[in-house]
Amino acid sequence: GLLSESICKKPVHIRKEPISDYYTVETRPFARGKFATVRRCQHKESGLEYAAKYMRKRRRASDVRHEILHEAHVLELSAQHPHIVQLHEIYETHSEIILVLELVSGGEVQRVLDDEEVVPERDATRLLRQILEGVSFLHEHKIAHLDLKPQNLLLTKPFPNGEVKLCDFGISRLITKGIEIREIVGTPDYVAPEVLHYEPISLATDMWSIGILTYVLLSGHSPFGGDTKQETFCNITRGTLEFPNDLFGSTSNVCKDFIQRLLVREPSERMSAKESLNHPWLSGTDSESIINTGIQLTLTSDISAKDSDLDITPNTNGKQYSPSTPRSLKADISPITGRKSNGTTFFRKSPSPKPMGTKDQKEQKNGTARSVDMMVSQFEGISMSKRIVFSEEIIVDERIGMVY
């Protein structure tokens, strides 16, 4: 699942000299994760500014150098693509690998949601086309990003101007025919059902995340978000996709059709990145031919309990579980900004209101919730019986307004 020189046939050049010989590096990081920091740096000769991403080669007593080089290979493979952040140079010390990256200073898409709450449909189509062009390029090379979300999408200029660039390929994977990859990866609100069921990951896993992203951009809400990870996972595996009129009353039917064709339980039935680019909502052709057909997505499963860690048996009383009205991405279930006096912004999870629903729905959901306790603990890193990869909380300096 990882790229290497033997696969790429193109070695990445790693410099062993101190980065300080060539760059003036700020001592204070403008972004910080569990295993990485990002600092602004300036090339001494050219005067050009970059973002230097420092990553530790050992994490939890394990050597992860090969995983860092995988990210470098993905970036090298994507050189010159207009919608993927560019890699400039690589440095290595005894304890760290440093990726010198393009400094994308227009801010992240998450900041747009924080400030504007929603993105107008016309702007959303422009952003989605650019995002999908980047994703399509990756998929042509059999690379699944696996963490597509507003925080990993950067703008070259402040919204509504600028182009989108994909970033953070730390948990991306090479999808190879005949080799199954089963990992708990991603960010809870954007994770696909097959990930929760510990089924094979595919390029279609990204397409589910694109569907969630589209819903979020247009409404400022998450379709399956709960006030805990447990409830979010229940909503994803058993939920019904809804378009509340107060959120989507002015949204076109062709846009809703686009989302519905991505948020499909069976990965093989989702649109691919190329098919998404050719959908009338993004291509602007024959949009009137897409009408509201009443398609409703019900994420129930026909697999047996032995095939999954989750109890997803349908309710025997014949009632269909339906999640509550989606809660605000900005205020409830997705990373939000909390201002600090030291000029930084801390992206964190925030509790959300208790979901509404009938007594039977609540009892059914509670039963399912108990069955996903193990999945929640795996996302939180409590149980390490399976390989766990999850997104990091990030601190961002407001002087820069971006994060890689």
Side-chain angles (χ1 to χ4, degrees), residues 33 45 71 91 109 168 179 222 341 351 402 404:
E45 289 188 8
E71 181 173 0
Y91 289 82
V109 173
D168 199 347
I179 300 177
S222 172
S341 60
M402 57 78 69
Y404 173 78

Short mmCIF file of all heavy atoms in Angstrom, two decimals, residues 33 45 71 91 109 168 179 222 341 351 402 404:
data_model
loop_
_atom_site.label_atom_id
_atom_site.label_comp_id
_atom_site.label_asym_id
_atom_site.label_seq_id
_atom_site.Cartn_x
_atom_site.Cartn_y
_atom_site.Cartn_z
N GLY A 33 1.24 19.06 14.52
CA GLY A 33 0.48 17.84 14.73
C GLY A 33 1.17 16.97 15.75
O GLY A 33 2.13 17.39 16.39
N GLU A 45 19.06 32.31 -1.20
CA GLU A 45 19.48 32.89 -2.47
C GLU A 45 18.32 33.52 -3.23
O GLU A 45 18.41 34.66 -3.69
CB GLU A 45 20.17 31.83 -3.34
CG GLU A 45 21.54 31.41 -2.84
CD GLU A 45 22.25 30.52 -3.83
OE1 GLU A 45 21.73 30.35 -4.98
OE2 GLU A 45 23.32 30.00 -3.50
N GLU A 71 4.85 9.42 1.30
CA GLU A 71 4.24 10.73 1.07
C GLU A 71 5.08 11.55 0.10
O GLU A 71 4.55 12.22 -0.80
CB GLU A 71 4.08 11.48 2.39
CG GLU A 71 3.44 12.84 2.25
CD GLU A 71 3.12 13.51 3.58
OE1 GLU A 71 3.41 12.90 4.63
OE2 GLU A 71 2.59 14.64 3.54
N TYR A 91 15.01 17.11 3.02
CA TYR A 91 16.21 17.05 3.87
C TYR A 91 16.00 15.97 4.92
O TYR A 91 14.86 15.68 5.31
CB TYR A 91 16.47 18.40 4.54
CG TYR A 91 16.95 19.48 3.61
CD1 TYR A 91 16.04 20.21 2.84
CD2 TYR A 91 18.30 19.78 3.48
CE1 TYR A 91 16.46 21.19 1.96
CE2 TYR A 91 18.75 20.78 2.60
CZ TYR A 91 17.82 21.48 1.85
OH TYR A 91 18.25 22.45 0.99
N VAL A 109 -9.93 25.42 3.16
CA VAL A 109 -11.37 25.48 2.91
C VAL A 109 -12.14 25.45 4.22
O VAL A 109 -13.22 26.03 4.31
CB VAL A 109 -11.79 24.34 1.96
CG1 VAL A 109 -13.30 24.28 1.81
CG2 VAL A 109 -11.13 24.52 0.59
N ASP A 168 -1.59 16.88 2.38
CA ASP A 168 -1.54 15.87 3.43
C ASP A 168 -1.84 14.47 2.91
O ASP A 168 -2.96 13.97 2.97
CB ASP A 168 -2.49 16.21 4.57
CG ASP A 168 -2.12 15.44 5.85
OD1 ASP A 168 -1.31 14.49 5.77
OD2 ASP A 168 -2.65 15.79 6.92
N ILE A 179 -4.28 -7.19 -4.19
CA ILE A 179 -3.81 -7.00 -2.82
C ILE A 179 -4.85 -6.17 -2.07
O ILE A 179 -5.12 -5.03 -2.43
CB ILE A 179 -2.44 -6.29 -2.78
CG1 ILE A 179 -1.40 -7.13 -3.51
CG2 ILE A 179 -2.01 -6.04 -1.34
CD1 ILE A 179 -0.03 -6.47 -3.58
N SER A 222 -23.04 18.28 8.45
CA SER A 222 -22.60 16.95 8.07
C SER A 222 -23.81 16.03 8.02
O SER A 222 -24.65 16.05 8.91
CB SER A 222 -21.59 16.42 9.08
OG SER A 222 -21.29 15.06 8.81
N SER A 341 -5.61 33.42 23.06
CA SER A 341 -5.03 34.74 23.26
C SER A 341 -3.65 34.87 22.65
O SER A 341 -3.17 35.95 22.41
CB SER A 341 -4.96 35.04 24.76
OG SER A 341 -4.17 34.07 25.41
N PRO A 351 -18.65 19.11 21.52
CA PRO A 351 -19.88 18.36 21.72
C PRO A 351 -21.03 18.97 20.94
O PRO A 351 -21.07 20.17 20.70
CB PRO A 351 -20.12 18.43 23.23
CG PRO A 351 -19.22 19.47 23.74
CD PRO A 351 -18.14 19.72 22.72
N MET A 402 -3.22 29.15 7.03
CA MET A 402 -3.26 27.92 6.25
C MET A 402 -2.58 26.82 7.04
O MET A 402 -1.89 27.08 8.02
CB MET A 402 -2.53 28.10 4.91
CG MET A 402 -1.08 28.51 4.99
SD MET A 402 0.10 27.21 5.42
CE MET A 402 0.01 26.23 3.92
N TYR A 404 -0.80 22.76 6.32
CA TYR A 404 -0.52 21.63 5.44
C TYR A 404 -0.48 20.39 6.31
O TYR A 404 0.18 20.36 7.33
CB TYR A 404 0.82 21.79 4.72
CG TYR A 404 1.18 20.55 3.96
CD1 TYR A 404 0.59 20.27 2.74
CD2 TYR A 404 2.04 19.61 4.49
CE1 TYR A 404 0.89 19.12 2.06
CE2 TYR A 404 2.34 18.45 3.81
CZ TYR A 404 1.77 18.20 2.61
OH TYR A 404 2.05 17.05 1.92
#
